[in-house]
Amino acid sequence: MSESEFEPKIVAFCCHYCAYTAADLAGSMRLQYPPNVRVVRLPCTGKVDILYLLKAFEDGADGVYVAGCMEGDCHFINGNFRAKKRVHYAKKLLDEIGFGGDRLEMFNMSASMGPRFAEVAREMVDRIKKLGPSPIKTVQTQKSGDKP
Amino acid sequence: MKSASRLEKVLEKGEFAVTSECGPPRGADAEVIQKKGALLKGVVDAINVTDNQTSVVRMSSAASCFILKGMGLDPVLQMVTRDRNRIAIQSDILGAAAVGVNNILCLSGDHQVFGDHPKAKNVYDMDSIQLIHSVRKMRDEGTFIEGDEIKGAPKLFIGAACNPFADPFEIRVPRLAKKVAAGVDFVQTQCIYNIDKFEEWMKGVRDRGLHEKVHILAGVTPMKSVGMAKYMKNMVPGMDVPDEVIERMKGVPKEKRADEGITICVETIQKMKEIEGVRGVHIMAIEWEDRVPEIVERAGLSPRPDV
Amino acid sequence: MIVGSRKPMEEIEAMIDPFERIIVLGCRECVTVCSVGGEKEVGILAAELRLSRKQKGRAIDILEFSLERQCDHEYIEQIRTQVANYDAILSMACGAGVQFVAESYPEMPVFPAVNTTFIGVTEEQGLWTERCQACGNCILHLTGGICPVSRCSKSLMNGPCGGSSDGKCEVNKEIVCGWQLIIERLKQLGQLDKYEEYIPIKDWSSSRAGGPRKVVREDLRI
């Protein structure tokens, strides 16, 4: 698969109070952003669990990001800070297995930042296009019993 | 007399005692110890031989003591509880006494994390106070820790270290009392730079009459440089180096700083002689044994008395 | 509780390298509380292993399963029917759990995914610290409720040593001097005079020094 044909699948875990609303606003403003991004709405990024992030990759995501409120503006006071720490930890886990922590990122934005939402989506799509498809898609898993 | 120790005789006669120390080499060369011993012979009353100090592997203290003993010196066997259990400790004590070692200094020892083998397992079967208690029992009751009779009890003059500057300060006098109760005969203090604090501690010692139950030797270490002074202040746990001392070292030209360090040391010893209850000094000239004769001379402590 | 920390991924992967069907076995006791080997951590480790294997083009079939405890026979029995379908068990329990699982399934390779570190407490969320070394001969009544065996770096019975500075241990400034804590507590209790009581040389035969230990309660035996 050449780089130009590669259309990454990206999962964005978005907070209901900010990034999800910003996505809505981007739509209302008729802003273009790549269709590669699948949004999962969370009541707060504080709900993000390391397991969700890893499962997204396991289920075939090429990139994952978490978009929460601006720091200091969390509806639940510090949910976005918790998310930041978990993303950081999960990045380390991904680095450890050679998957690459760069495929995962944390962003902050407010509900009024529709253009920023579109920009982040483009930024992530660009980054993942450069990194290429998820390492688990580029290899053919051998049948049980074969040794590499 | 509890032992055949020269140090004990000097102290019992009421003379102001002088001890020093030497660190064994990191190798099997006996000459290193012999050279250090020759420098200190006739200059001091007894020589401490360190036991793998700062947890760095060196020639054994007991073997080094044996070499010094052969030269006619009175070595002090330093014994830390970090590396040996009660079986090895009692065995080494018997061995040292058998070859004529008369003094022991009971220590817990620096943690192995400071040394060259930080992955080692430490022992700490007992602590320094329990070691004092055990040696006293071996000497005075003639029994091992578990009560069996010793055939030929080790006659050792028992010492310990004592740090008036470590925290918490309020238990520093009670801690000495604990060592006295356990049976210590003499203590050598941590290096003294903060004389005011030392005097405050000594007052507490005198208030409880401890100075009459134990011989207190004040520890001094000459500084070679400003760097050494700063290192001791900041990096050595339980060391109290006031800023004035560092400033004083800084105040003289670089090439004269070593001499200034010696002068400070001599002045400290002279002050110690004036303090009631201080019965001697312990000069720890770290890898600087050749300057000890000069320090002793300038402090007016030479020649050493005949005992 | 028993506190652990997870082994590095590289070490875990090397252990299970020859296998393609494994059980990642969690424990719902201590290691769940200290977030190292409970149901959630089983999920995370399994996801990591699958991702890693997929990248290398190698298959892995993982059963994620957590037991109420891995230190009791009846719970370990719950996986007996499954065990035959797998090649190895990667246990996320403490060392006791790993061994007990291995004893129950002698034909199965059983590997530890966790380093068992100490018996301790949750001092704060995300911070666990040591409190007990199981010496088998408690003296907390003599030392103001603070244990010199586990809290003093040298396990001194009559501390503190000369390395205590500003209430910190000579080993490093992150460690609080156990004896400083003992003295402060004795002071609070109005028992500072207790400090001068000599604590005799300890009988370590009840500790690990005496060999593997056991507790027998005849009244409870069947």
Side-chain angles (χ1 to χ4, degrees), chain C residues 146-166:
Chain C
I146 291 152
C147 171
V149 179
S150 58
R151 307 293 298 275
C152 167
S153 296
K154 300 175 185 172
S155 297
L156 304 181
M157 293 294 136
N158 298 278
C161 71
S164 178
S165 192
D166 292 329

Side-chain angles (χ1 to χ4, degrees), chain A residues 42 44-53 66-91 104-108, chain C residues 40 124-126:
Chain A
L42 298 176
C44 169
T45 51
K47 185 71 188 84
V48 156
D49 194 298
I50 294 160
L51 255 180
Y52 298 176
L53 304 172
V66 177
C69 300
M70 301 301 283
E71 292 187 356
D73 287 346
C74 174
H75 193 79
F76 301 98
I77 301 166
N78 53 12
N80 50 354
F81 284 109
R82 293 201 170 122
K84 188 179 173 181
K85 282 190 191 166
R86 289 173 202 155
V87 167
H88 184 71
Y89 184 80
K91 278 164 91 73
L104 174 64
E105 205 51 78
M106 171 90 196
F107 295 96
N108 301 87
Chain C
K40 180 165 163 182
E124 301 166 8
Q125 171 71 14

Side-chain angles (χ1 to χ4, degrees), chain B residues 1 12 14 20 46 52 62 69 72 80 97 103 107 109 114 135 172 178 184 215 232 240 275 281 285 295 307:
Chain B
M1 283 294 179
E12 286 303 327
S20 189
N52 299 296
K69 186 71 197 172
V80 301
N103 312 288
L107 305 163
F114 295 109
V135 184
R172 289 291 136 192
K178 229 173 155 175
V184 78
H215 302 290
M232 288 180 112
D240 185 340
I275 299 173
V281 280
I295 296 170
V307 287

Side-chain angles (χ1 to χ4, degrees), chain B residues 227-244:
Chain B
M228 178 174 169
K230 282 188 180 160
Y231 179 82
M232 288 180 112
K233 181 185 175 74
N234 301 320
M235 305 306 286
V236 182
M239 187 76 81
D240 185 340
V241 185
D243 290 332
E244 304 94 86

Side-chain angles (χ1 to χ4, degrees), chain C residues 215-222:
Chain C
V215 172
V216 185
R217 280 278 303 275
E218 287 301 341
D219 57 322
L220 295 176
R221 303 196 81 179
I222 300 164

Side-chain angles (χ1 to χ4, degrees), chain C residues 97-173:
Chain C
V98 178
Q99 290 183 66
F100 221 35
V101 170
E103 282 170 40
S104 296
Y105 303 105
E107 70 293 348
M108 280 289 277
V110 178
F111 303 108
V114 164
N115 289 322
T116 307
T117 41
F118 51 78
I119 301 176
V121 296
T122 313
E123 206 167 297
E124 301 166 8
Q125 171 71 14
L127 173 67
W128 294 273
T129 52
E130 182 162 18
R131 287 294 183 281
C132 179
Q133 289 203 344
C135 74
N137 186 5
C138 194
I139 55 156
L140 284 168
H141 54 300
L142 302 176
T143 55
I146 291 152
C147 171
V149 179
S150 58
R151 307 293 298 275
C152 167
S153 296
K154 300 175 185 172
S155 297
L156 304 181
M157 293 294 136
N158 298 278
C161 71
S164 178
S165 192
D166 292 329
K168 297 291 156 44
C169 174
E170 68 176 23
V171 170
N172 76 53
K173 290 193 163 55

Side-chain angles (χ1 to χ4, degrees), chain B residues 176-194:
Chain B
L176 179 65
K178 229 173 155 175
K179 289 189 177 180
V180 170
V184 78
D185 300 312
F186 71 99
V187 291
Q188 295 167 325
T189 75
Q190 173 69 286
C191 320
I192 299 159
Y193 297 106
N194 187 342

